[in-house]
Amino acid sequence: MRLGILSDIHANYEALSAVVEAFKREEIDKYYCLGDTVGYGGSPNECADLVREIAKKTILGNHDAAVSGRMDYSYYYEAARHALDAHAACLSPENMQWLKSLPYDAHLEEIGLLLCHGSPVRLEEFEYIFAPEQARECLAIREQLGHLTLIGHSHLCKVFALSKTNVEELPSMDFELEPDKKYIVSVGSVGQPRDFDNRASFTIYDTDKKRFEFKRIEYDIELAADKVLRARLERNFAHRLFIGV
């Protein structure tokens, strides 16, 4: 099968629409979303509707958890709290119930996949993995990982190969899985990339070839940014889209 994996849409419908259209050219069999459908952007309902339509399974992200009342976000900075409050107020009952039902992870054992939003070590704490020392903590639960563990949360594209005793960071480029290693891959962000590449990020995993691919696609950033401003959210949430941080 060819799996389409996406994450961190953050209510950016223009980016999500471009990614979905790009996926249609890739002969995808199933879609999986690694969380944070909402937060920051101007189109929470439109994004939730589309993800619910296409994704075989969606994982709970921290912004999803905050909007649906499943975590305390009082320690978030003011602009982020305001966006979460605004999204909670405008989500349809169906989309709110969907967020309330999302799982913290998914084990697809038949194809060797583990899906989660942040680190698999303490799922409910949504910890980041963007450096080898953070990935190294996963060695303690290596047997519980999939051959391939896919995460989001950092908005960065990252690849970590885990032997039984060591972690190596690999280039964020297409690769084939080796049978004696396990991999943690951060798939980047659809709606708010933070690697100075403003194109939407999405990924593909071919379960037969054991091949993982990183993809980017341009989208209408001006329209997405305008929706943020019209929703009276923090202006920086719009401006950062143009520079990819």
Side-chain angles (χ1 to χ4, degrees), residues 83-245:
L84 294 168
D85 292 341
H87 286 186
C90 75
L91 276 180
S92 70
E94 294 80 9
N95 286 332
M96 180 63 78
Q97 185 56 44
W98 174 67
L99 292 182
K100 289 178 181 292
S101 72
L102 296 178
Y104 284 95
D105 65 356
H107 292 259
L108 308 179
E109 296 180 0
E110 67 279 8
I111 53 175
L113 279 187
L114 171 61
L115 310 178
C116 44
H117 184 66
S119 171
V121 175
R122 289 173 290 273
L123 290 168
E124 295 185 17
E125 297 185 20
F126 299 109
E127 296 176 337
Y128 289 99
I129 296 180
F130 52 75
E133 54 266 28
Q134 295 160 323
R136 196 168 291 118
E137 192 174 5
C138 297
L139 289 174
I141 61 165
R142 187 178 184 276
E143 295 308 311
Q144 301 170 38
L145 302 178
H147 189 191
L148 178 61
T149 296
L150 299 177
I151 64 173
H153 195 33
S154 72
H155 298 213
L156 302 173
C157 296
K158 293 282 185 174
V159 180
F160 302 98
L162 284 66
S163 67
K164 291 184 178 181
T165 59
N166 192 40
V167 173
E168 177 186 9
E169 183 171 0
L170 304 179
S172 300
M173 55 192 299
D174 300 353
F175 70 99
E176 293 182 3
L177 279 65
E178 298 179 17
D180 60 339
K181 294 181 180 179
K182 292 195 171 185
Y183 297 85
I184 298 174
V185 175
S186 178
V187 303
S189 172
V190 169
Q192 197 184 90
R194 294 180 183 169
D195 56 1
F196 294 96
D197 183 341
N198 64 13
R199 297 174 299 165
S201 177
F202 63 104
T203 61
I204 296 169
Y205 179 54
D206 190 309
T207 63
D208 296 326
K209 297 178 180 178
K210 298 290 191 296
R211 180 173 175 81
F212 192 87
E213 301 174 6
F214 291 95
K215 304 285 186 179
R216 304 298 281 250
I217 187 76
E218 294 182 350
Y219 71 94
D220 190 341
I221 294 178
E222 290 190 3
L223 181 55
D226 184 60
K227 288 183 178 180
V228 172
L229 299 177
R230 282 192 278 132
R232 297 185 177 182
L233 302 176
E234 167 63 42
R235 295 183 67 85
N236 186 50
F237 296 163
H239 295 161
R240 71 191 310 173
L241 298 178
F242 291 95
I243 52 179
V245 296

